[in-house]
Amino acid sequence: MSQVPATPKPRRVLIQAAAATLGPRWTYEKLATQWSEQEALERRAHSRPGPVQNPAVVFLTPLVGRHHVDDWCKIEERLADTVESFRRQSSNRWQAVICGQDRPEGICFDEQVRFLPFTKPFEGNDKWAKLEALFRALPDLGVASGYAMPFDADDMLAPGAVAEMIERKQRGGYLVTRGWVLDAQSREIGLCAPQTLLHPGRKAFWKMCGSCAAFRFDFSRDQRDAEYLAAVTSHEHRMFPYLASLAGRRLSPLQQEAVLYVVNHGENFGKRRGRVGFKTRYVKRFPVTDPGTLARIEAEFPMA
């Protein structure tokens, strides 16, 4: 399974308007839609989420295969930093599953952090095939209800993120609108946040990084949420808010800079697509220079 192309924005507007006015069933039957949109419309019609009860957060991490990279040890080190950011959470109501061909060294796998072997033969970039495998395995983790968050193996989570999600109990899930971007070469840090009149051109975090959405799931009645989320995450991350809204599960912004996105470390997936240059330029355009803020970032992400 390769990444599925995004629905053009004008088409998204049409599909959303039809679902809101003519209903999800009419939209499903009459309009040409992608697999993800069909799953979202099915969820909208049959499974509006109710109150959140005893949620947990599940992080689902696709790990690049050793055969795709130049320096496997760097991949393992970055992944260890990611897992350490999970273990530093102020709330322990989380689990993480890492999916890949090669079981990494230096990770303490236990009841909270598990490894899912990826054995499917695949040519080319298999990130989205691994995400599909992870979401299809979600019902087997023993977590009946909560939030599932695709999380890249080189990003890091702020220590209060899980606690905020668990305490606020938003019915649809969460969207990371504010976060940090670290240039691993220059060690400069930029702020991602929605643009304002004073900061035109600034970008919300979810437009920059795939570790940006925690989707609500509930297996108390059936396991269809796993199929729906596998479909949603077959796209680039900029489709996430649209598909969640189409499903009647609008994502609520987290109220903190929840994720640190590390770029330009030599093994970024974006490097293989020629996208790192834009992000390093973004860091220079919107740098964090306040000493107090930099000290807070260092305290929250000492492994970076």
Side-chain angles (χ1 to χ4, degrees):
M1 177 183 180
S2 301
Q3 185 186 53
V4 178
T7 302
K9 289 181 180 179
R11 185 72 182 176
R12 295 182 218 174
V13 173
L14 173 64
I15 292 171
Q16 280 191 305
T21 57
L22 299 171
R25 184 179 300 276
W26 186 96
T27 307
Y28 184 99
E29 293 175 351
K30 301 297 183 181
L31 295 184
T33 52
Q34 299 204 66
W35 171 43
S36 58
E37 292 161 332
Q38 294 165 7
E39 289 296 325
L41 290 166
E42 189 279 334
R43 294 286 80 189
R44 186 186 188 113
H46 298 115
S47 182
R48 290 296 185 97
V52 182
Q53 303 290 339
N54 300 317
V57 181
V58 181
F59 301 102
L60 301 173
T61 297
L63 181 64
V64 66
R66 185 194 295 258
H67 60 289
H68 276 309
V69 300
D70 297 325
D71 192 336
W72 177 248
C73 290
K74 280 189 177 180
I75 297 296
E76 291 178 312
E77 291 170 1
R78 294 289 177 189
L79 176 63
D81 291 341
T82 299
V83 173
E84 178 64 18
S85 77
F86 298 156
R87 295 200 184 276
R88 286 173 53 85
Q89 292 299 301
S90 59
S91 168
N92 68 353
R93 292 190 59 80
W94 62 269
Q95 291 188 28
V97 185
I98 300 161
C99 179
Q101 291 93 339
D102 310 286
R103 188 182 179 95
E105 299 292 332
I107 303 296
C108 180
F109 290 104
D110 53 23
E111 291 185 356
Q112 274 195 299
V113 180
R114 310 183 196 188
F115 182 73
L116 177 67
F118 184 77
T119 58
K120 180 180 178 180
F122 198 94
E123 293 293 329
N125 191 328
D126 54 16
K127 176 178 180 178
W128 287 273
K130 289 170 181 172
L131 279 171
E132 181 180 12
L134 284 161
F135 277 99
R136 291 191 184 280
L138 187 59
D140 302 327
L141 300 180
V143 181
S145 175
Y147 306 101
M149 186 172 189
F151 208 93
D152 289 344
D154 53 0
D155 298 332
M156 283 166 264
L157 190 71
V162 169
E164 180 183 340
M165 289 188 253
I166 296 304
E167 291 167 6
R168 288 177 59 196
K169 297 182 179 179
Q170 294 297 297
R171 293 192 180 197
Y174 298 93
L175 187 67
V176 182
T177 59
R178 299 179 62 87
W180 312 111
V181 186
L182 168 65
D183 184 331
Q185 296 298 319
S186 69
R187 305 305 297 173
E188 295 173 297
I189 297 174
L191 170 66
C192 283
Q195 68 176 345
T196 66
L197 291 175
L198 294 178
H199 301 286
R202 201 167 62 181
K203 289 189 177 295
F205 188 86
W206 62 269
K207 295 184 177 182
M208 294 281 281
C209 176
S211 304
C212 64
F215 300 96
R216 170 78 187 282
F217 68 89
D218 186 349
F219 298 139
S220 60
R221 288 181 291 180
D222 59 42
Q223 297 182 355
R224 287 297 304 272
D225 278 353
E227 177 83 8
Y228 154 67
L229 292 174
V232 168
T233 54
S234 68
H235 295 281
E236 64 168 353
H237 47 89
R238 282 169 288 188
M239 282 276 283
F240 291 172
Y242 157 66
L243 291 168
S245 178
L246 187 62
R249 303 180 179 194
R250 189 177 300 275
L251 301 173
S252 300
L254 284 169
Q255 298 172 346
Q256 59 182 292
E257 290 85 12
V259 179
L260 177 72
Y261 177 27
V262 184
V263 301
N264 203 24
H265 58 65
E267 294 291 355
N268 283 102
F269 170 62
K271 178 185 177 183
R272 294 188 280 276
R273 297 197 295 174
R275 294 186 177 181
V276 171
F278 159 72
K279 292 171 182 177
T280 57
R281 291 193 299 272
Y282 180 92
V283 171
K284 293 186 179 299
R285 184 178 176 188
F286 298 102
V288 178
T289 57
D290 175 65
T293 302
L294 290 170
R296 176 166 65 88
I297 295 171
E298 184 176 359
E300 291 187 347
F301 305 98
M303 67 291 289

